[in-house]
């Protein structure tokens, strides 16, 4: 992804702002998913073909994760180590989601589509955050 494409997507050409915006967007989307899983685990479980208890557990995890990413986004200069941890966690989430779908989950069609789509979104966050972090480090050098 070129710097111009990244800047257009983030609506800023300032690398630090780009990074913070991509982290904040990740936190917001993750938080929204957490809230949905925590408050609608029964209906969502039936629709997605997933166990409501699993959705509650995932929702609790996502709530904590969203808060941590949000705190990182709120920092004037998010530390590179923290951002790398978020990128790696997002990549791990993507891999585990797809592996779970292939190996042990038996969701409805909507659940299978949702699992793939959310994995792709999380992977995209990882790419955007990694690219923005690299742009920040280039300005530090």
């Amino acid at each position: 992804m070129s710097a111009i494409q990244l800047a257009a997507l983030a609506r800023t050409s300032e690398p630090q702002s780009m990074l913070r915006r991509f982290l904040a967007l990740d936190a917001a989307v993750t938080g929204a998913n957490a809230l949905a899983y925590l408050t609608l685990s029964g209906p969502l479980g039936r629709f997605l073909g997933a166990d409501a208890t699993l959705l509650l557990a995932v929702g609790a995890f996502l709530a904590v994760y969203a808060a941590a990413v949000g705190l990182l986004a709120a920092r004037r200069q998010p530390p590179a180590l923290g951002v790398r941890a978020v990128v790696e966690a997002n990549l791990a989430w993507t891999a585990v989601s797809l592996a779970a779908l292939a190996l042990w989950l038996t969701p409805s069609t909507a659940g299978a589509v949702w699992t793939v789509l959310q994995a792709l979104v999380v992977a995209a966050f990882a790419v955007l955050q990694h690219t923005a972090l690299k742009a920040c480090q280039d300005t530090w050098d």
Side-chain angles (χ1 to χ4, degrees), residues 61-113:
F61 171 79
L62 290 178
V64 172
Y65 184 75
V69 176
L71 288 173
L72 196 60
R75 306 262 317 250
R76 183 167 156 72
Q77 290 188 320
L81 184 61
V83 175
R84 277 192 221 101
V86 169
V87 169
E88 290 175 13
N90 283 343
L91 292 174
W93 180 271
T94 299
V96 169
S97 294
L98 297 175
L101 183 59
L103 300 173
W104 66 83
L105 292 179
T106 54
S108 64
T109 301
V113 169

